[in-house]
Every structure is written in structure tokens, then in C-alpha cells.
């Protein structure tokens, strides 16, 4: 089978490679880009451990071929932190104990990140619905839902802080 050239931008960095047309995106991310935070869980799209954000949409990277991601942009769990500072979603998962063994965590983080990009103030029902494609066998989901709510509050507070002007208002 002839290999295909692909160029995929992951976390702002471009990766180019010749790949088998049947190579899954999850394997490109892990084996070509060397980003192992995206986990291979079930290879059937049931567990969500491989969730990434592809052009602004949460997808299970075990259901996407690398050739389908050619010339597209991906964010993985490694791309959430900025300048050594955890993303509010990551901080909230730590603070609210939204993780235990850690296997599902990257997928949960990416799904939560995606949800909060499109809905800054989700209800508990919306959070649970968004996370319904991600399986966790350790936490029972309660602390994960609390973490997403906390992340939403933190992101809103951060945005409100940016709206406040430093200059005094003249009377």
C-alpha cells in the first residue's frame, strides 16, 4: 500500500510524515508526533481516552485516519498548558479530585476543554451529556462534573478580570 504525505498541526507545531492510509490519528499523535498524553483505550470509540480537539471539535482520534487530518489543526492534552501554567480545566481537575488512575483523564480534559469553548456556563446536565462518550472506571464522575463547573467559574472570572480597565474612571 502506497504511503501518503500528511502535514498536521498539533498544538501549534507542524508535523509532516509519510503514513499508511489506514494509520489512525491517535497513532500519528503518539508515534509520529511523540505526544503520548492521548491514550489508546479501546480502539472502538467507546472509552474516549483518545479524545482530541480537531479544528475546534472534540473527536475520538481512534475513529479518524491520519490522512483525514491532513492540513488540519489539533489540540491535545499537552497543548492545554501555556507558559508553564496549567489551563483552568487542568487546575480544576486537580483541585476537585477529578482524576484517580489517570487513564481517562486526557480524554476527559479535552472533552471538558471543548465544552467550555462552546458553552462558558454549562448546566450539570450539559456537562454530563458532553462527557457521556468518555468512560471512567475510578471516579464515579461526581468530582469530574465538579471540576468542569469549577473550570467554568475560573474561566469566567479570568475573562471578567480582562474586561476591567486598570485606568481610574474620571468623574
Amino acid at each position: 500500500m502506497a504511503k501518503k504525505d500528511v502535514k498536521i498541526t498539533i498544538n501549534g507545531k507542524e508535523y509532516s510524515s509519510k503514513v499508511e492510509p489506514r494509520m489512525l490519528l491517535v497513532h500519528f499523535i503518539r508515534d509520529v508526533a511523540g505526544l503520548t498524553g492521548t491514550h489508546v483505550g479501546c480502539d472502538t470509540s467507546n472509552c474516549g481516552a483518545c479524545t482530541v480537539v480537531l479544528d475546534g471539535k472534540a473527536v475520538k482520534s481512534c475513529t479518524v485516519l491520519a490522512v483525514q487530518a491532513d492540513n488540519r489543526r489539533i489540540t491535545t492534552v499537552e497543548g492545554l498548558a501555556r507558559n508553564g501554567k496549567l489551563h483552568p480545566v487542568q487546575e480544576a481537575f486537580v483541585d476537585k479530585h477529578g482524576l484517580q488512575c489517570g487513564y481517562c483523564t486526557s480524554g476527559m480534559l479535552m472533552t471538558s476543554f471543548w465544552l467550555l469553548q462552546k458553552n462558558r456556563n454549562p448546566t450539570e446536565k450539559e456537562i454530563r451529556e458532553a462527557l457521556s462518550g468518555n468512560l471512567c472506571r475510578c471516579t464515579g464522575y461526581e468530582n469530574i462534573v465538579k471540576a468542569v463547573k469549577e473550570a467554568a467559574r475560573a474561566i469566567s472570572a479570568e475573562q471578567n478580570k480582562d474586561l476591567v480597565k486598570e485606568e481610574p474612571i474620571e468623574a
Side-chain angles (χ1 to χ4, degrees):
M1 191 175 294
K3 291 190 174 188
K4 307 252 183 200
D5 287 316
V6 295
K7 182 173 44 176
I8 304 172
T9 302
I10 305 174
N11 303 326
K13 181 179 176 186
E14 189 175 285
Y15 295 87
S16 298
S17 184
K18 284 188 178 290
V19 300
E20 295 277 342
R22 64 183 177 204
M23 177 185 247
L24 295 173
L25 179 58
V26 68
H27 296 300
F28 185 93
I29 291 168
R30 291 178 61 83
D31 301 337
V32 175
L35 301 170
T36 57
T38 302
H39 293 159
V40 179
C42 63
D43 277 333
T44 61
S45 79
N46 288 316
C47 75
C50 67
T51 302
V52 298
V53 176
L54 172 65
D55 290 340
K57 182 174 175 160
V59 299
K60 294 177 182 178
S61 59
C62 74
T63 64
V64 178
L65 297 171
V67 294
Q68 291 175 297
D70 189 26
N71 293 311
R72 297 177 76 186
R73 301 184 68 78
I74 295 170
T75 303
T76 69
V77 70
E78 291 93 343
L80 293 183
R82 296 279 186 237
N83 301 317
K85 184 178 183 324
L86 294 178
H87 186 277
V89 171
Q90 293 169 305
E91 287 180 350
F93 266 68
V94 171
D95 292 345
K96 295 298 180 185
H97 309 289
L99 50 103
Q100 282 185 9
C101 82
Y103 205 83
C104 72
T105 304
S106 60
M108 290 286 188
L109 286 168
M110 295 312 299
T111 301
S112 301
F113 170 77
W114 165 79
L115 171 65
L116 295 175
Q117 294 297 304
K118 67 180 202 123
N119 182 351
R120 295 291 188 191
N121 190 25
T123 64
E124 181 171 333
K125 182 180 179 187
E126 291 168 327
I127 294 167
R128 289 183 182 278
E129 185 175 308
L131 294 174
S132 66
N134 297 72
L135 298 179
C136 176
R137 296 189 171 154
C138 299
T139 67
Y141 299 93
E142 294 304 315
N143 289 343
I144 293 171
V145 172
K146 288 177 187 175
V148 177
K149 288 179 182 178
E150 177 62 28
R153 282 190 289 274
I155 290 169
S156 291
E158 200 171 276
Q159 289 176 337
N160 289 338
K161 183 174 73 174
D162 291 340
L163 295 176
V164 177
K165 293 187 178 184
E166 300 279 332
E167 303 167 13
I169 298 173
E170 293 185 28

